[in-house]
Amino acid sequence: MFNRKDKITDCFAAVVAVWVQQVEGVWPLPQQLHQSADRDCLSPQRFSFTYGRDSAAQTGCSVLDAAFKRYFSIIFPDFTTLSGLLMPENESNMYFLSVKTRGCDGYPDEDSDESYMLSVSEGQAVLRSVSVWGALRGLESLMLVINKIVDFPRFAFRGLLLDTSRHYLPLYAILKTLDAMAYSKLNVFHWHIVDDPSFPYQSRTFPDLSNKGAFHPFTHIYTQSDVIRVIEHARMRGIRVVPEFDSPGHTQSWGKGQPGLLTPCYKGSVPSGSFGPVDPTVDTTYKFMESLLKEVKFVFPDSYVHLGGDEVSFACWQSNPNVRKFMEKMGFGKDFTKLESFYMESIMNMTAALNKTSIVWQDVFDYHERIPQDTVLEIWKGAKYQTELSRMTQAGHRVLLSAPWYINHISYGQDWRNSYAVQPQNFSGTDEQKKLVIGGEVAMWGEYVDATNLSPRLWPRACAAAERLWSNEEKTLNADLAFPRLKEFRCELLRRGIQAEPLFVGHCRHEYDGL
């Protein structure tokens, strides 16, 4: 990594290691790398990023131009001008970047090619990629300064969930999290934006949802411009933003601004004054959801939307005489899982009509027999997730795994090792079934997390899942060999302004640089 020697010159060295797992600071581990003991020094006045002549992307490519500035600042944190960018080719320390396809103004998606090849020698580097998104991953690896890297992700979906309902997370905390995600090569921000406690998303179609459902209608909301800023900040780092509007449960805050949406609960033959899940028996519910989903399609450009569908309590539905009459009319008997299935099927069909792909929690699969085939299922229940992986993939569905990566749970000691030991394709099934596991995600639920402790609780613990989802599993099974790399990478996160907690006793070298 780059270590500051003075305010003008930074030197770097690639560490020779017998075992590839022992490379310090390289996280997640590239698929292939070749190292050298060669040593070079960088001067900010003589350092430049340059587009290759054969590159489809050239100066003016928003994603890469911005990335050059970011990484220049990371390499030379004390150098105040960026005059070293895009210098004439007769200067030393040239870093040539060549991208096969342009795509500078688009958004990353499920088919984005994130592969790249990076070669470094004698003060110069050549980075080649198919897409700008692969170029971003390669620029991050350029910080490792190793002679040659051939790299690509093992899984296409490498996500992180933030819950902004149980505690409101200020915009700066979300943007900082996106930065750290990019450093760790995570590429999907799953924004669990609303839930029972609060509705901070400011809807243009239904403004009362946040006016009456947020913790505060002015200070604790995400305006349309806030959402755009998050999406653009993510795009510039090759990160997709997948929103979640979870229903029919987890919707208590929705009912405050949308009368008639939630089911009135009864005590005996009279309303109790409390409300349960969304009422799936009235047409107004579906008209509301259709309008809301149309807005979501307009605001969030990603092809995926998470529809939730988890932890629905049936007690209120069961108490309501109108719901019971609807159940009888539909032939559902007393099986309320069929009522939930009826609702979720309707919502998923709406989403499909909007040309969006639905993600739902595993509860929907457990209760439902007619899930659209392209629906992505997410496993969150921890006890028997291998069995769920087998069942869901046997049914032909694509699957995300989050159950073993609920890192809002903490324990004393190095609990990152538990996350690191997860093997997402270690279940009973055919090779074709295992290909249906498209990735997974770290979940940071917000009961006990706000901006004061978000970063240290996330990092570097989330990095364990990041490597598992990016790197070759056979080369990264030994947590003891991974520890020195993760310890060094944690120090690099600190150097970049991410308040990552320590893994164990020790210190970071940059803490006394310049003394």
Side-chain angles (χ1 to χ4, degrees):
M1 301 304 295
F2 299 99
N3 297 311
R4 192 178 73 240
K5 300 302 181 186
D6 54 47
K7 292 190 177 182
I8 300 298
T9 304
D10 281 24
C11 293
F12 62 84
V15 180
V16 179
V18 176
W19 298 103
V20 74
Q21 292 93 333
Q22 293 174 324
V23 182
E24 291 187 8
V26 184
W27 200 279
L29 190 73
Q31 301 289 344
Q32 298 177 31
L33 58 84
H34 304 278
Q35 295 182 283
S36 167
D38 292 347
R39 189 175 182 87
D40 201 356
C41 289
L42 298 180
S43 165
Q45 291 94 342
R46 295 185 297 123
F47 177 94
S48 63
F49 293 106
T50 303
Y51 291 99
R53 290 192 177 94
D54 62 341
S55 177
Q58 293 290 337
T59 303
C61 177
S62 59
V63 171
L64 296 179
D65 286 355
F68 291 164
K69 293 179 181 178
R70 285 200 308 276
Y71 284 110
F72 187 92
S73 297
I74 289 171
I75 298 168
F76 305 107
D78 293 328
F79 196 70
T80 55
T81 69
L82 299 179
S83 58
L85 294 173
L86 301 174
M87 291 165 57
E89 292 187 13
N90 60 358
E91 298 289 343
S92 60
N93 298 136
M94 299 295 296
Y95 291 81
F96 295 96
L97 184 147
S98 182
V99 180
K100 188 174 181 180
T101 57
R102 184 172 167 81
C104 295
D105 300 319
Y107 293 88
D109 58 35
E110 58 185 314
D111 297 318
S112 293
D113 189 327
E114 296 177 277
S115 63
Y116 65 92
M117 181 181 291
L118 172 64
S119 297
V120 181
S121 62
E122 297 180 358
Q124 294 195 342
V126 177
L127 172 60
R128 296 188 179 277
S129 65
V130 173
S131 72
V132 296
W133 315 119
L136 288 178
R137 307 300 173 231
L139 283 169
E140 178 59 39
S141 292
L142 180 59
M143 302 298 100
L144 313 176
V145 194
I146 296 171
N147 274 57
K148 185 174 181 180
I149 295 177
V150 178
D151 206 9
F152 51 87
R154 181 183 175 201
F155 293 102
F157 193 111
R158 306 179 307 281
L160 186 152
L161 177 152
L162 288 187
D163 169 11
T164 58
S165 172
R166 290 172 175 85
H167 282 99
Y168 175 81
L169 293 176
L171 198 60
Y172 77 84
I174 296 174
L175 300 182
K176 202 71 170 177
T177 300
L178 291 169
D179 291 342
M181 286 177 65
Y183 300 151
S184 306
K185 295 188 174 71
L186 294 171
N187 70 340
V188 181
F189 171 38
H190 174 174
W191 196 350
H192 188 87
I193 195 167
V194 298
D195 205 298
D196 281 329
S198 72
F199 197 107
Y201 171 74
Q202 189 179 61
S203 168
R204 62 181 64 184
T205 312
F206 302 102
D208 275 351
L209 288 172
S210 61
N211 286 342
K212 298 179 179 179
F215 288 137
H216 191 283
F218 302 117
T219 60
H220 285 59
I221 61 169
Y222 302 107
T223 66
Q224 292 287 315
S225 61
D226 290 337
V227 173
I228 290 170
R229 187 174 173 190
V230 168
I231 292 170
E232 184 63 9
H233 195 88
R235 183 183 81 87
M236 298 299 262
R237 289 151 182 79
I239 297 172
R240 300 163 55 190
V241 179
V242 175
E244 180 181 357
F245 288 85
D246 188 359
S247 71
H250 292 281
T251 48
Q252 288 298 298
S253 65
W254 302 37
K256 296 175 183 178
Q258 187 64 22
L261 179 64
L262 302 185
T263 305
C265 305
Y266 276 68
K267 187 173 183 179
S269 60
V270 296
S272 66
S274 62
F275 294 87
V278 164
D279 188 342
T281 70
V282 293
D283 291 341
T284 52
T285 288
Y286 300 98
K287 290 177 182 177
F288 165 79
M289 289 301 300
E290 186 173 28
S291 296
L292 181 63
L293 288 170
K294 283 181 179 177
E295 177 179 323
V296 169
K297 173 184 171 65
F298 178 80
V299 173
F300 294 90
D302 199 83
S303 61
Y304 283 19
V305 60
H306 205 303
L307 299 177
D310 64 314
E311 296 184 313
V312 180
S313 171
F314 298 145
C316 186
W317 282 349
Q318 194 168 10
S319 75
N320 186 294
N322 295 324
V323 173
R324 293 199 301 269
K325 287 178 185 176
F326 183 84
M327 293 273 289
E328 185 178 347
K329 174 185 173 184
M330 299 298 294
F332 295 160
K334 296 182 179 180
D335 187 353
F336 287 90
T337 67
K338 291 183 178 179
L339 181 59
E340 181 184 353
S341 298
F342 172 81
Y343 171 82
M344 289 303 299
E345 183 178 344
S346 300
I347 302 305
M348 287 186 284
N349 287 338
M350 285 180 197
T351 305
L354 293 170
N355 201 29
K356 290 273 193 180
T357 298
S358 299
I359 307 177
V360 295
W361 296 110
Q362 71 182 79
D363 312 50
V364 179
F365 177 80
D366 293 339
Y367 295 156
H368 203 289
E369 296 178 0
R370 294 184 296 179
I371 300 175
Q373 197 62 43
D374 69 339
T375 301
V376 177
L377 307 176
E378 183 165 7
I379 298 174
W380 69 274
K381 297 179 182 179
K384 298 179 180 179
Y385 66 81
Q386 290 93 346
T387 301
E388 287 288 293
L389 284 165
S390 295
R391 291 176 58 233
M392 292 174 178
T393 55
Q394 189 172 28
H397 288 289
R398 290 175 295 167
V399 179
L400 293 170
L401 181 62
S402 65
W405 291 317
Y406 267 44
I407 68 170
N408 50 291
H409 298 293
I410 57 175
S411 59
Y412 190 78
Q414 297 186 38
D415 59 353
W416 69 272
R417 291 172 179 265
N418 299 327
S419 295
Y420 198 74
V422 175
Q423 296 177 275
Q425 292 178 322
N426 184 19
F427 62 91
S428 178
T430 64
D431 289 343
E432 291 304 310
Q433 281 179 251
K434 294 182 180 185
K435 290 177 183 176
L436 291 172
V437 180
I438 63 172
E441 63 181 19
V442 170
M444 183 54 72
W445 297 99
E447 287 89 347
Y448 304 99
V449 177
D450 65 8
T452 65
N453 63 346
L454 174 65
S455 282
R457 189 164 291 194
L458 265 178
W459 313 106
R461 295 165 69 235
C463 299
E467 178 152 291
R468 182 57 58 239
L469 293 168
W470 179 281
S471 304
N472 183 304
E473 186 173 273
E474 293 181 0
K475 294 179 180 179
T476 56
L477 286 176
N478 191 318
D480 289 336
L481 291 176
F483 178 80
R485 287 190 296 110
L486 185 54
K487 183 180 178 183
E488 187 68 21
F489 185 68
R490 179 258 173 177
C491 291
E492 178 62 16
L493 290 176
L494 286 180
R495 197 178 74 82
R496 298 188 191 187
I498 305 299
Q499 296 301 303
E501 71 178 13
L503 291 162
F504 195 50
V505 298
H507 70 282
C508 293
R509 287 174 293 181
H510 76 272
E511 293 170 357
Y512 55 79
D513 277 357
L515 294 179

